[in-house]
Amino acid sequence: MGGRPSPPPTIVYSPPPPPPAPPTPVPTQSLQTQTALNEVSGAQQRLNMELGAQLDRTNAEFFAGQDIRKTQATGAEERLRLGTLGEQERATTVTRGEQERLGIETTGVQYRAGLETAGEQERLGIAATGTEQRATVGKTAEETRATDLQQEMFRRYKENRDYEQAQRQYRT
């Protein structure tokens, strides 16, 4: 083992296989069949689209009619509801007015009865007060006359006394 390395092994490749042979055209009906199928499919698709459009128009007309009928029915129901509400409101207003009139009438009757009672009490009070006042005025007048008489008598007494004193002094 001397000091030299051994040479690398040589690899020998086998020659590549020949390319495949070109396909051999074989006459078939697949192209004609596919073309016919495409035509039939297109015709079917057009027919389906026409039928779909026809159904859409029919549905649009039907549902538009349905919407109109629904709106008309809703309007009729609303008018009936409003009519009923109006009748109820009018009946309530009539009843409320009658009750208010009865309340006012009752209040008026009570007020007039109170005034009548107050008037009678006042007349009785005035009559009693009038009698008392007349008695008081009579008594006051009587006392005033007595006082005036006393004052007049005292004045005359003083006048007479003064006169007599003056006469006495004149004589003396």
Side-chain angles (χ1 to χ4, degrees), residues 51 93 144-145:
L51 184 58
T93 302
T144 303
R145 284 192 297 273

Side-chain angles (χ1 to χ4, degrees), residues 4-6 11-12 16 23 34 53-56 58 61 64 75 83 85 93 103 109 111 119 139 142 146 151 165 171:
R4 280 174 119 221
S6 60
I11 299 175
V12 177
Q34 189 63 39
Q54 179 65 32
L55 282 172
D56 286 346
T58 303
E61 289 175 16
L85 280 176
T93 302
V109 167
Y111 182 72
K139 185 71 173 172
E142 191 177 304
Q151 286 176 345
Q165 281 178 356
R171 288 185 211 156

Side-chain angles (χ1 to χ4, degrees), residues 4 17-18 25 28 30 33-34 54 56 72 74 81 111 126 131-132 134 136 145 150 162 166 172:
R4 280 174 119 221
T28 64
S30 66
T33 304
Q34 189 63 39
Q54 179 65 32
D56 286 346
Q72 288 172 342
T74 303
R81 187 183 69 80
Y111 182 72
I126 288 174
T131 305
E132 291 171 6
R134 283 191 294 278
T136 303
R145 284 192 297 273
Q150 287 174 352
D162 290 344
T172 43

Side-chain angles (χ1 to χ4, degrees), residues 105-163:
E105 180 181 350
T106 303
T107 303
V109 167
Q110 291 172 349
Y111 182 72
R112 286 189 295 279
L115 287 178
E116 187 175 318
T117 302
E120 288 177 15
Q121 289 176 352
E122 191 173 325
R123 280 193 300 266
L124 290 175
I126 288 174
T129 304
T131 305
E132 291 171 6
Q133 284 179 343
R134 283 191 294 278
T136 303
V137 167
K139 185 71 173 172
T140 303
E142 191 177 304
E143 290 173 357
T144 303
R145 284 192 297 273
T147 303
D148 288 345
L149 181 61
Q150 287 174 352
Q151 286 176 345
E152 182 63 24
M153 287 175 62
F154 184 71
R155 184 188 64 75
R156 286 183 184 178
Y157 162 77
K158 281 177 41 182
E159 204 175 87
N160 193 26
R161 185 189 67 191
D162 290 344
Y163 177 77

Side-chain angles (χ1 to χ4, degrees), residues 12-17:
V12 177
Y13 291 103
S14 62

